Amino acid sequence: MKINFRNLSFLATYITLLYGATGCNKSTLLGGGLIPPSDFVNAQDTVLSGIIANNILRYDSTILNGNTAYAKILGSITTDPVFGKTHAFVYTQVSLPQSAFTFQGTGQTLDSVVLSLSYNGYTGDSASPQTFKVYRMAEPNFTIDSNYAYNRALAYNPGELLGQVTVTPLSLRDSVSVYGTKETAQLRVKLSDAFGRDLLNQKSDGAFATDSAFRAYLKGFALIPDTSRGTNRNMIYLNLNSSDTKLTVFYKNSTDDSLRATMAFNQYASAHANYFTRNYNGSQAGRFINTGNPKGDSILFLNASPGLYTKLTIPGLENFPAVLINKAELVITQITSGVSDMNNIFIEPGSLSLRQYGNGDSTKIPVDYYSSGGAAYFGGSRQVITNFGGVQIVQYTFNLANTVQRFIKKLDTNNGFKLEGYSPLYMDVNRVKAGGSDLSQYNIKLRIIYTKP
C-alpha cells in the first residue's frame, strides 16, 4: 500500500473506504482521552489498519549471558499450548574461601554437602512441582570473561549426578534455618556423600591451592530441569551474586562438631551462564513463524526475549499529508481462545518494547521516548480492557506522534519497527498472543489524530 494523498479531503475519503469497516470500539480497543474533546473542533481522527506484521524467530546476539548477568532463570515449561516448550539450564561455579584452603582440624568426617542458590521468585504455576538435577560440569575453559551463546548447551558429565531435588515455587518462598541462623529463600540441593567426602580429601597444596587449581578439579555445576515431565508449568528466578549462592560442606573433626566450610559464588572469579531453548513445534505459534507472508501474519506471538518478535511495516506512512500530528497511537490487542490458552498461568509481559529500524537490522529507540513525559508518554505498558465479547484482555499502546511527523518531514526513513515482549531480565518467558494483520477488529492499528495546517 502506498499513500499518496493530494489533499486532506481525499485522505478522509480514502480512510473511510479502506479502513472504515474495522468496527473498532474506541472506548475499549482504541482507548479514549487522547486529546480533550474540545480540541476535536479542529482535529481529525483516523485509524490505519493496513499494517504488515510478521512473526520472526532469530538468534539474538545482543543478549548478555555471563559477565554481570547474575539473574538467572531455571526450569521447564512443557504445557503451554500457545508457545510450546521452553527449557532453561543454569551453569555456575563457586570459589575457594582463600588460597591454600584446608578444613579445620584432623580426622574430618562429613555430615552433608549442600549447593544453595538465592531464590528470587517464579513465573507460572506456583504449586506445580519440578525436579532439578545437579551434575558436574565438563565444559573446557568455562571462564567468567566469556559471553556464552544462550542457545548452546554447555558440557556436563551425565554420568555424574551429584544430587537432585523436587520443589514447587511455594516451597521455596520461605526463609530457611541453617544451624539456627535464618537465611533468605534458597533453592537447596543436597549433593551426594561421595562428592562431599571427595572434597574433604582435597589438600591445600593440591586442588585447594588456588582458584585455578580448584577450577581444574571442579569446573562447575550444571543445574538441569527434568524436561521429560509433561506437567512442567513454571520457572524460577535465581540470583547468583548473593551470599546465599554457595556450596556448603557440613562436617566435624576429632574435636569439634557442627563445622562448616563455605565455597561461595564470586562475582570476580566464578563463571556462569544460562542455556535457554524454545521449541514451538505443535504449538499455536508454530504455524506463524518466519512465514515471510507479504500481507503479514494474522496473529502475532510475542515473547520476552529470547524468542519471537514482530516486524511491523506501515507502507507509505511517510506520504501522509503535511499536517500537524497531535497523536499517533499504535495499538496492539490481545486475542485469546479463553481458558485453553492458559493465560492465567503463563502471563503477558508487563510491557512491550518498540524499536525503530534504521539500516538493515539496526534499531533505535523512537524519538517519542525522549519527548516530554518520557517513557510514560511513549507507552507500551500492559493495560486491561474489555473486548467486544465482554471478556477482559490486555492491550498495549505506543505514542508515535513525533516519529510520524519526522517521517512526513523526511527527517527519518520509514523502515518499520521491531516489536517484542519486554522483561528486565535478559531471558524470560512472559508471552502474549495478539491480533496481527487483517484480523477483523483485533488487528494491529495506528490511530492518528491530526490538525489541518
Side-chain angles (χ1 to χ4, degrees):
M1 177 185 71
K2 182 177 182 181
I3 305 173
N4 187 14
F5 302 118
R6 290 172 295 182
N7 55 60
L8 288 172
S9 62
F10 183 67
L11 166 62
T13 302
Y14 184 90
I15 294 299
T16 299
L17 291 175
L18 187 58
Y19 304 115
T22 59
C24 290
N25 180 340
K26 292 180 183 178
S27 66
T28 55
L29 295 186
L30 284 180
L34 285 180
I35 61 175
S38 60
D39 289 350
F40 273 95
V41 174
N42 298 314
Q44 303 292 320
D45 185 353
T46 190
V47 176
L48 306 183
S49 58
I51 299 173
I52 300 171
N54 293 104
N55 296 296
I56 296 176
L57 178 63
R58 290 181 185 167
Y59 173 73
D60 188 347
S61 61
T62 67
I63 292 179
L64 184 64
N65 188 20
N67 294 300
T68 58
Y70 304 119
K72 303 297 184 187
I73 185 168
L74 173 67
S76 171
I77 292 174
T78 57
T79 55
D80 185 349
V82 182
F83 284 77
K85 298 178 180 179
T86 305
H87 309 305
F89 303 177
V90 171
Y91 311 102
T92 188
Q93 293 176 333
V94 293
S95 294
L96 292 173
Q98 63 191 54
S99 296
F101 171 73
T102 185
F103 292 101
Q104 294 182 33
T106 59
Q108 299 95 346
T109 57
L110 180 74
D111 287 332
S112 63
V113 56
V114 177
L115 178 66
S116 59
L117 300 101
S118 180
Y119 173 71
N120 261 12
Y122 75 98
T123 186
D125 182 358
S126 64
S128 178
Q130 285 215 43
T131 297
F132 302 114
K133 299 180 179 182
V134 178
Y135 295 92
R136 195 178 195 130
M137 287 193 66
E139 180 72 18
N141 301 316
F142 184 39
T143 57
I144 190 173
D145 56 356
S146 296
N147 186 36
Y148 293 92
Y150 63 82
N151 64 347
R152 181 174 77 86
L154 302 186
Y156 63 90
N157 184 359
E160 192 170 0
L161 175 64
L162 299 181
Q164 69 179 54
V165 66
T166 299
V167 295
T168 68
L170 283 177
S171 69
L172 293 175
R173 64 184 180 177
D174 298 325
S175 60
V176 296
S177 178
V178 181
Y179 281 173
T181 301
K182 285 285 186 180
E183 296 185 2
T184 56
Q186 304 166 15
L187 171 65
R188 295 174 63 85
V189 186
K190 183 180 183 298
L191 304 186
S192 71
D193 288 347
F195 174 69
R197 287 191 292 269
D198 191 56
L199 281 170
L200 284 178
N201 289 331
Q202 302 311 306
K203 304 299 181 183
S204 60
D205 58 354
F208 290 168
T210 64
D211 248 3
S212 295
F214 185 54
R215 299 274 182 267
Y217 163 72
L218 179 62
K219 295 182 185 299
F221 298 105
L223 287 91
I224 312 297
D226 183 352
T227 61
S228 66
R229 297 170 59 126
T231 56
N232 293 344
R233 47 202 289 173
N234 57 47
M235 295 240 179
I236 64 174
Y237 302 117
L238 304 172
N239 176 23
L240 297 189
N241 192 23
S242 164
S243 59
D244 289 324
T245 298
K246 58 195 175 186
L247 178 71
T248 306
V249 181
F250 299 93
Y251 68 103
K252 56 190 174 185
N253 60 26
S254 56
T255 58
D256 298 300
D257 293 328
S258 303
L259 298 173
R260 60 177 160 178
T262 300
M263 301 170 187
F265 177 86
N266 184 333
Q267 63 175 316
Y268 303 108
S270 300
H272 55 97
N274 247 150
Y275 168 59
F276 192 92
T277 181
R278 298 185 187 271
N279 185 343
Y280 297 96
N281 292 339
S283 69
Q284 294 179 32
R287 298 184 294 113
F288 293 86
I289 298 173
N290 296 339
T291 66
N293 187 342
K295 295 182 178 180
D297 298 316
S298 59
I299 303 177
L300 305 184
F301 296 87
L302 298 164
N303 290 127
S305 64
L308 291 169
Y309 68 89
T310 297
K311 182 174 182 179
L312 304 177
T313 306
I314 312 176
L317 184 58
E318 69 276 12
N319 296 322
F320 202 91
V323 296
L324 176 62
I325 304 297
N326 303 110
K327 279 281 186 180
E329 188 178 65
L330 185 70
V331 183
I332 300 97
T333 304
Q334 182 185 33
I335 57 173
T336 179
S337 302
V339 294
S340 62
D341 281 349
M342 300 180 72
N343 296 322
N344 60 325
I345 295 173
F346 306 117
I347 62 174
E348 308 88 3
S351 62
L352 299 183
S353 166
L354 184 72
R355 296 183 66 88
Q356 182 181 343
Y357 278 107
N359 295 322
D361 289 333
S362 66
T363 62
K364 66 178 181 179
I365 298 174
V367 66
D368 296 87
Y369 183 87
Y370 305 102
S371 301
S372 176
Y377 168 84
F378 182 56
S381 296
R382 177 183 182 274
Q383 307 166 60
V384 177
I385 64 165
T386 302
N387 69 8
F388 296 110
V391 176
Q392 285 194 330
I393 57 174
V394 301
Q395 189 175 76
Y396 304 86
T397 59
F398 292 91
N399 298 315
L400 297 172
N402 294 310
T403 299
V404 173
Q405 197 81 69
R406 290 179 66 84
F407 289 161
I408 295 171
K409 293 181 177 181
K410 306 300 188 287
L411 298 175
D412 272 345
T413 304
N414 177 22
N415 292 325
F417 300 89
K418 180 179 182 180
L419 178 70
E420 61 186 334
Y422 170 78
S423 169
L425 304 177
Y426 288 102
M427 304 177 205
D428 211 345
V429 294
N430 295 344
R431 85 308 190 262
V432 65
K433 178 174 69 172
S437 304
D438 299 324
L439 189 70
S440 184
Q441 65 264 39
Y442 295 105
N443 58 321
I444 191 168
K445 299 173 178 69
L446 180 66
R447 183 184 184 187
I448 300 178
I449 298 177
Y450 63 92
T451 303
K452 299 178 183 179

